[in-house]
Amino acid sequence: MTPDAPAPEPQTAPPPAPAWSALFTGANALRTLILAGGVVLHAVNVYVAATILPSVVHDIGGLEYYAWNTTLFVTASIVGAALSSRALALYGGRGTYGAGAAIFAMGAVTCAMAGSMPVMLAGRTVQGFGGGLLLALSYAMIRIVYDPSLWSRAVGLVSAMWGVATLIGPALGGMFAQARFWRGAFWSLVPVAAGFALLAMAVLPRRAAARPTTSTLALGQVGLMAAAVLALSAGGISHDTRSAAMGLAAFVALMVPWAWLERRGRQPLLPAGALRPRSQLCALYLSMGLLAVSVTTSEIFVPLFLQVLHRQSPLMAGYLAASMSAGWSVGSILSAGRHGRAVPRAMMAAPVLGLIGMGMLWALLPVPTAGGWRDVAPICAALVMVGLGVGLAWPHLLTRVLRIAPAGQRDLASTSLTTVQLFCTALAAALAGLVANAAGLDAPGGVAGTASAAWWLFAVFSLCPLACIASVARVLYLSR
């Protein structure tokens, strides 16, 4: 440097991210407990149902509607999540959370008393609506109750609550399934819902800070989304390929007017630019959706595959299937506090690990075994790999949506995170049911039909992480 050269500008390092303890101290402690509790309640129910569903089908029948238990639950959750921001503005966090918990408990009672699959599906629908309200609140209130510096940590923690559910849900469901009293698993959720509702009454604000500025709701888009998923599911009930084709055609026909309403309607579900193919928001939502589809495909049918093809008990099958969400939780905790160059690496790791894991499941799950640890350990490793990859990317994908959403649409962006995740989960459940039934899950059924369903499921859905590699690369390119 020459003597008269200007001194370089001092380089100031970015402020360090607050520690995890900031979420558990002072006023944040109870807020964190109640927001995390909403996710736990919803997620525990997911794993309880996945663990006991083979026993339910054995008892009351309805194997051809196996995937409908997830499809209807999640589709109803979409409706609840989409209405959550309006309910939050009208009734505040306390009233909305209390209503969601009460509806969820009503659905659990209906499931516990079900004597046929139609009644079970009705109960799952009611549960899903209440659970959607609770789940969306957990994300929507992050921006309201925390400082922006804690958003990434809070999103990571809320996402990690699925890991807590992986410890509770399979144990609860497996215990009741092995006792041949699967109804008790649903009964046990009722007092849990009541407990979280009471906690919400003590912690969350009575009223919202601002009244809603519009009287309209995006009921058109929500209705079309639900109808499209249900049409796809209906096409998958039969193993007839013509029915499947009709279901796919109906799905596309319903999503076209949805896209038109979303882009031109007065009350969108997604922030502006989310449907523009060249926008970063579109690439972010696409990446989230593809990752959610990969996980859902495995979570729905893996407990059944493990029990039929690999001789696992309901309890063990539930825990093995839940290892995917355990990997998701670990990945979220490890990745949430990262910044700088570590973020792009974490985001790209998700689809790469997912592709490897799905490929391993495609090779391993369809082959019947005696179920020893040498047979099951590679399957468990593949499930963890898929979940770990999603967890590494998920907090950064969600946080980036919140940060780049247009001004004035941050609340909409918050609720859209849950809407997109739930829609993709419902879509994945419908597609998985269609593929499994077409591959012979119900006819011929048995070991041969189940093995065929497993082979085709993972062969088809391995395309999702492959496509996600391109969408994440697009996100990183546009963010430079």
Side-chain angles (χ1 to χ4, degrees):
M1 181 185 296
T2 58
D4 56 346
E9 292 292 331
Q11 299 295 318
T12 59
W20 284 102
S21 59
L23 293 172
F24 303 99
T25 56
N28 284 341
L30 289 178
R31 296 168 182 168
T32 298
L33 181 61
I34 189 60
L35 295 188
V39 178
V40 169
L41 184 61
H42 184 276
V44 163
N45 177 70
V46 170
Y47 292 110
V48 165
T51 303
I52 68 174
L53 195 52
S55 300
V56 173
V57 170
H58 183 268
D59 186 18
I60 64 176
L63 179 60
E64 66 274 22
Y65 295 99
Y66 193 94
W68 276 64
N69 280 270
T70 299
T71 300
L72 291 178
F73 177 84
V74 180
T75 301
S77 294
I78 294 172
V79 179
L83 296 178
S84 64
S85 60
R86 175 73 172 178
L88 183 60
L90 284 171
Y91 307 113
R94 183 182 301 184
T96 306
Y97 197 104
I103 294 169
F104 181 92
M106 290 171 56
V109 170
T110 304
C111 291
M113 299 178 67
S116 64
M117 185 56 73
V119 177
M120 171 64 68
L121 295 177
R124 293 288 286 157
T125 302
V126 175
Q127 265 194 318
F129 183 79
L133 284 172
L134 298 176
L135 188 61
L137 276 178
S138 297
Y139 285 107
M141 294 194 71
I142 285 175
R143 290 189 61 256
I144 298 173
V145 302
Y146 296 120
D147 183 87
S149 62
L150 285 171
W151 287 357
S152 180
R153 296 282 197 195
V155 168
L157 180 68
V158 168
S159 298
M161 289 303 99
W162 288 85
V164 175
T166 63
L167 298 176
I168 302 174
L172 189 64
M175 177 180 66
F176 284 108
Q178 292 189 189
R180 298 184 179 182
F181 183 51
W182 57 264
R183 299 176 190 276
F186 288 112
W187 284 118
S188 67
L189 295 174
V190 176
V192 177
F196 278 122
L198 291 175
L199 183 60
M201 296 300 171
V203 174
L204 299 182
R206 182 185 299 273
R207 303 292 295 176
R211 301 292 294 175
T213 58
T214 177
S215 60
T216 62
L217 290 170
L219 293 179
Q221 294 99 299
V222 173
L224 286 169
M225 290 167 69
V229 171
L230 294 178
L232 188 61
S233 295
I237 293 176
S238 170
H239 54 80
D240 185 355
T241 55
R242 289 176 297 179
S243 297
M246 291 176 62
L248 285 168
F251 173 82
V252 174
L254 289 166
M255 291 306 295
V256 169
W258 174 85
W260 187 89
L261 282 176
E262 183 63 22
R263 298 188 70 167
R264 304 192 181 191
R266 294 176 56 192
Q267 192 72 14
L269 291 173
L270 307 177
L275 296 185
R276 288 201 299 266
R278 296 184 179 182
S279 72
Q280 185 179 170
L281 271 176
C282 183
L284 283 166
Y285 283 123
L286 180 60
S287 300
M288 290 166 52
L290 290 168
L291 292 175
V293 168
S294 300
V295 171
T296 301
T297 306
S298 303
E299 286 183 335
I300 294 175
F301 283 101
V302 162
L304 180 66
F305 294 158
L306 289 171
Q307 291 186 48
V308 175
L309 300 176
H310 300 278
R311 303 184 182 183
Q312 299 300 304
S313 67
L315 179 62
M316 185 57 65
Y319 267 117
L320 289 171
S323 62
M324 178 179 291
S325 285
W328 183 332
S329 300
V330 171
S332 293
I333 293 173
L334 292 176
S335 183
R338 294 184 178 273
H339 53 82
R341 294 181 180 179
V343 172
R345 290 196 294 267
M347 292 174 63
M348 186 53 72
V352 173
L353 289 173
L355 181 60
I356 297 171
M358 293 289 280
M360 291 174 63
L361 293 172
W362 170 70
L364 296 170
L365 264 177
V367 181
T369 69
W373 69 268
R374 292 183 180 178
D375 302 314
V376 173
I379 295 174
C380 184
L383 292 168
V384 171
M385 189 177 298
V386 175
L388 180 65
V390 176
L392 290 174
W394 200 256
H396 304 294
L397 292 172
L398 270 60
T399 302
R400 191 162 296 196
V401 168
L402 296 178
R403 288 177 175 167
I404 71 172
Q409 292 191 326
R410 299 292 173 82
D411 289 334
L412 180 62
S414 296
T415 57
S416 75
L417 299 177
T418 305
T419 302
V420 170
Q421 182 180 357
L422 291 175
F423 174 71
C424 292
T425 300
L427 175 60
L431 286 171
L434 186 151
V435 172
N437 285 337
L441 180 66
D442 181 50
V447 173
T450 305
S452 176
W455 193 94
W456 280 102
L457 269 177
F458 291 103
V460 171
F461 285 95
S462 291
L463 297 175
C464 292
L466 186 62
C468 191
I469 292 175
S471 64
V472 170
R474 178 72 175 168
V475 169
L476 298 178
Y477 173 77
L478 292 174
S479 63
R480 288 189 301 179

